[in-house]
């Protein structure tokens, strides 16, 4: 049995072995990317579902169109425009089966084999694997504390061939938690014009801010149709429903719709209708405020537990939002080795190597999730992690 | 803006122009592939949804695993095995976002650019477009009344290079309604061994039989792990929920899971749970029997209306199941021209060219759907179609 080249490049990575430990219920996991179940508006959704089953099931259970449920497209587009000045007359908004599908479709409609796509390092492994599955030249550009190193990016733009796309998570990046500064957002757009590439702005976390000042989306600064904006309801309503969105110039969304049609025809229609109705009936901003308060407390608790327990040689960043804390061991130490040791202490984290464009690189980093664990688990888990660090660093 | 080669090959086809007429509510449409809303078990689903929201929402709205909801995988696998002797110890069953995704993932894990995939002609346009999107050599083999012409297939197997996959819809094929004979199913498996290819058995309609004898699935006859079986809940529960399945040798499902992870992470978890619970609480065979009775009546009504109204030169096949009647104009006439004319008479059908592997070919065929229209619409619509035929044939 001979598999395609594209799928052969996707090896089950070391991360999976390490994460097997999370299946043990006695292990405290900081390895997830999951929101807290407390963030799911289940009562409101249940009520809406009941109404749809009673009054509109013949539509909700039937085939829909690949673009997505029209009222949701409109509500989502209006909200991005009114609240975040994001989107324009030249753009269209389509619904996708989670942000992941938005990223994958963007790759599908633009990348030929051998084309170059550039991403931040470290970056979201789901996106990196989507790009790898198209047999492309995946190039990583290191991040600074205010986002991708733009000078390094320009160097790569000069030397790499056929750079079609630059993929960034500008706000509360996964895994680093960092936010790209306004200056760098503007610079990225200038480079996009100068070197003729498109930007995928992956934005699943941007409304989960706990401190600091709002930074405009790259899309809102874009005057030349350079940005494919990927949004998600996973972190503000529910990830299990697989509902996300893409806001992009019409010529691009048209092609993405054609690609989506052969991928899954359309997104689950019932839940597209639930999300639309939620946006109509409820104040989603109020709902997001509650999630923010919940996660801010967890972030602060984890940071404080780390301050009390971790070896001072471990560098821990304080993100202004999102779901993750990014930590780095001193130079020469391996985050993967620490995560293996941590398994023995019944606590799990994700090693930095999982977020590298070059998977052979040794990364001193590791990622801790604070949205899913309880406060009790955060306290105990950080103590356990501190013990693993002590064992490793000596 | 330069799109990828793969997406540029997917042109918005002539069919879309013709089908625009169906947006006019005064048009009777036989162009859909939709099941009847009467087939949706909405009351049962509503009850299950209520229970999940009350007792299990924290799981149902959270991230799930790419393989799909474990209880559904088991229930679906057991049912295929117990009722249809389909599947073995060497197989695994994964849940996908509709049968379309199963087809697309099979293509993704096996086809390199330039590889050959062979399908029946005519065949399902969604599958053909999925294959086209991988820049492959798509080869069509004509059908006979008992399925793909196996001698022609063997000719192609001898002359084409790198034939990795043969795609068939063996039972109540879309669009022809034809069923592949047992002899041909066995012959196809022999050829798969002899020429070393895999078979995609796309089987969304096989339980919708209204007459004739059950023919075993190709998968149930397979002794050498040659078959990727794609199933769907779209025609027996609901298409809008996008829940389907793939039953295939474990080495293949493993790769498909990796591909699915980058496509959409997982299928809508809430509805995977609803389907699993439906299978536990209710007798799905009884439910399918009711759908069969409904569609048998519609099939017979449409055939009888055609007998009373259509020009005798139009060849109409009588399928033993499925959703479609396949009709052919006399040689030299063009199904697409008829469908354009039909639009003027306020009735819609899908022209045969939409199902061709070679989209430049003129097809005398057209497809009529009988599952969605009401009995009244069937009677009136067939009369209108007969008028369009009369206008065209003279």
């Amino acid at each position: 049995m001979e598999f395609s080249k594209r799928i052969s490049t996707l090896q089950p990575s070391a991360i999976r072995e390490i994460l097997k430990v999370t299946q043990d219920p006695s292990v405290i996991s900081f390895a997830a990317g999951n929101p807290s179940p407390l963030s799911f508006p289940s009562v409101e959704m249940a009520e809406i579902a009941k109404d749809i089953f009673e009054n509109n099931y013949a539509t909700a259970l039937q085939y829909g169109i690949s673009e997505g449920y029209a009222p949701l497209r409109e509500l989502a587009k209006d909200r991005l425009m009114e609240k975040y000045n994001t989107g324009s007359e030249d753009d269209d908004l389509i619904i996708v089966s989670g942000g992941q599908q938005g990223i994958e479709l963007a790759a599908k409609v633009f990348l030929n084999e051998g084309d170059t796509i550039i991403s931040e390092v470290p970056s979201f492994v789901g996106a990196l694997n989507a790009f790898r599955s198209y047999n492309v030249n995946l190039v990583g550009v290191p991040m600074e504390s205010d986002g991708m190193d733009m000078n390094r990016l320009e160097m790569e733009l000069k030397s790499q061939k056929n750079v079609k796309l630059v993929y960034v998570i500008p706000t509360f990046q996964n895994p680093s938690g960092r936010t790209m500064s306004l200056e760098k957002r503007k610079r990225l757009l200038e480079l996009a014009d100068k070197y003729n590439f498109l930007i995928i702005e992956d934005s699943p976390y941007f409304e989960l801010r706990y401190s600091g000042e709002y930074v405009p989306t790259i899309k809102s600064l874009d005057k030349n149709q350079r940005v494919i904006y990927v949004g998600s309801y996973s972190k503000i309503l529910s990830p299990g429903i697989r509902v996300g969105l893409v806001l992009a110039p019409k010529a691009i969304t048209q092609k993405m719709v054609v690609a989506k049609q052969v991928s899954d025809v359309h997104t689950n229609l019932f839940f597209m209708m639930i999300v639309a109705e939620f946006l109509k009936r409820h104040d989603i901003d109020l709902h997001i405020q509650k999630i923010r308060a919940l996660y801010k407390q967890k972030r602060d608790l984890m940071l404080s537990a780390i301050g009390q327990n971790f070896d001072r040689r471990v560098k821990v960043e304080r993100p202004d939002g999102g779901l993750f804390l990014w930590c780095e061991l001193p130079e020469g130490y391996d985050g993967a080795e620490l995560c293996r040791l941590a398994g023995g202490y019944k606590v799990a984290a994700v090693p930095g190597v999982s977020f590298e464009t070059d998977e052979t690189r040794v990364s001193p980093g590791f990622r801790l999730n604070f949205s899913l664990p309880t406060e009790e688990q955060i306290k105990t888990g950080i103590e356990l992690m501190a013990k693993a660090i002590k064992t490793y660093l000596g």
Side-chain angles (χ1 to χ4, degrees), chain A:
Chain A
M1 204 138 54
E2 196 193 335
F3 292 103
S4 63
K5 279 177 286 178
R6 73 176 68 82
I7 207 69
S8 305
T9 63
L10 294 181
Q11 299 299 338
S13 63
I15 182 182
R16 298 210 183 176
E17 285 310 304
I18 293 169
L19 294 184
K20 271 191 185 159
V21 70
T22 63
Q23 289 169 14
D24 176 349
S26 72
V27 166
I28 293 176
S29 178
F30 300 140
N34 296 23
S36 165
L38 297 173
S39 72
F40 307 154
S42 62
V43 174
E44 294 86 342
M45 281 187 172
E47 205 171 86
I48 295 167
K50 184 167 175 284
D51 289 352
I52 294 174
F53 273 121
E54 273 169 19
N55 306 313
N56 216 353
Y57 79 88
T59 299
L61 298 176
Q62 190 56 279
Y63 279 116
I65 57 171
S66 299
E67 289 86 344
Y69 182 58
L72 176 57
R73 294 172 63 201
E74 206 166 313
L75 287 159
K77 197 176 179 200
D78 289 351
R79 180 165 186 268
L80 279 170
M81 174 55 91
E82 286 159 21
K83 199 167 167 69
Y84 300 107
N85 193 29
T86 296
S88 78
E89 290 290 298
D90 304 318
D91 290 318
D92 211 350
L93 186 147
I94 61 170
I95 304 300
V96 289
S97 302
Q100 179 71 39
Q101 187 179 58
I103 297 163
E104 207 262 354
L105 294 177
K108 188 162 189 173
V109 304
F110 282 108
L111 299 175
N112 290 315
E113 291 192 8
D115 281 350
T116 297
I117 178 159
I118 296 178
S119 92
E120 296 155 331
V121 174
S123 188
F124 170 48
V125 61
L128 300 184
N129 280 340
F131 305 143
R132 288 180 181 120
S133 78
Y134 286 101
N135 291 335
V136 297
N137 176 33
L138 174 60
V139 174
V141 169
M143 295 186 80
E144 300 167 306
S145 62
D146 62 346
M148 186 185 255
D149 181 335
M150 290 294 151
N151 296 328
R152 282 285 293 272
L153 172 61
E154 185 156 17
M155 276 173 52
E156 296 291 354
L157 290 168
K158 281 178 182 160
S159 65
Q160 299 286 348
K161 280 186 187 160
N162 295 325
V163 181
K164 291 270 189 73
L165 297 168
V166 171
Y167 170 78
V168 293
I169 311 170
T171 309
F172 319 135
Q173 201 248 12
N174 178 7
S176 72
R178 293 169 198 156
T179 294
M180 189 186 288
S181 65
L182 182 60
E183 293 64 36
K184 283 194 171 177
R185 290 173 194 230
K186 289 177 180 166
R187 175 93 189 274
L188 182 58
L189 284 165
E190 286 163 17
L191 291 173
D193 285 337
K194 184 169 172 192
Y195 294 93
N196 192 29
F197 60 83
L198 294 168
I199 299 160
I200 303 179
E201 178 176 24
D202 186 12
S203 193
Y205 313 110
F206 86 117
E207 296 191 286
L208 299 180
R209 176 178 285 281
Y210 322 128
S211 53
E213 288 297 310
Y214 175 73
V215 185
T217 63
I218 303 176
K219 180 88 187 153
S220 71
L221 306 167
D222 176 25
K223 293 187 179 69
N224 299 316
Q225 311 212 343
R226 290 286 174 192
V227 180
I228 301 168
Y229 179 92
V230 180
S232 172
Y233 291 102
S234 292
K235 277 78 188 182
I236 54 176
L237 290 178
S238 150
I241 65 176
R242 311 306 305 132
V243 181
L245 60 87
V246 172
L247 176 71
K250 285 173 186 170
I252 296 174
T253 55
Q254 273 169 21
K255 291 289 184 184
M256 289 177 83
V257 166
V258 172
K260 180 167 169 62
Q261 197 158 29
V262 303
S263 288
D264 64 0
V265 188
H266 63 80
T267 295
N268 183 292
L269 181 49
F270 200 99
F271 271 95
M272 287 196 283
M273 291 170 75
I274 289 187
V275 175
E277 207 53 35
F278 185 92
L279 292 173
K280 269 192 228 166
R281 296 188 194 178
H282 301 283
D283 182 348
I284 193 165
D285 296 314
L286 189 68
H287 174 71
I288 293 170
Q289 266 182 35
K290 288 180 198 160
I291 301 176
R292 277 193 198 140
L294 173 72
Y295 290 172
K296 179 181 192 303
Q297 191 162 325
K298 290 190 178 201
R299 177 200 64 173
D300 292 345
L301 180 70
M302 188 176 265
L303 281 168
S304 131
I306 284 173
Q308 286 161 34
N309 292 280
F310 274 20
D311 187 299
R312 299 285 152 189
R313 289 171 288 173
V314 179
K315 205 184 108 204
V316 182
E317 301 191 33
R318 182 180 182 279
D320 279 326
L323 308 183
F324 307 110
L325 296 190
W326 180 245
C327 311
E328 281 183 10
L329 297 167
E331 183 116 4
Y333 288 90
D334 180 359
E337 187 53 35
L338 172 66
C339 291
R340 263 184 292 271
L341 282 169
Y345 286 92
K346 303 277 186 188
V347 61
V350 183
V353 63
S354 309
F355 308 103
E356 292 284 328
T357 47
D358 172 6
E359 292 165 298
T360 64
R361 189 174 165 261
V362 171
S363 162
F366 59 100
R367 189 193 76 178
L368 302 176
N369 165 266
F370 56 79
S371 55
L372 187 62
T374 63
E375 299 200 353
E376 199 48 48
Q377 286 172 324
I378 289 175
K379 284 183 212 160
T380 313
I382 290 299
E383 284 170 19
L384 296 170
M385 187 60 74
K387 286 183 189 164
I389 291 169
K390 193 168 181 196
T391 302
Y392 187 33
L393 299 187

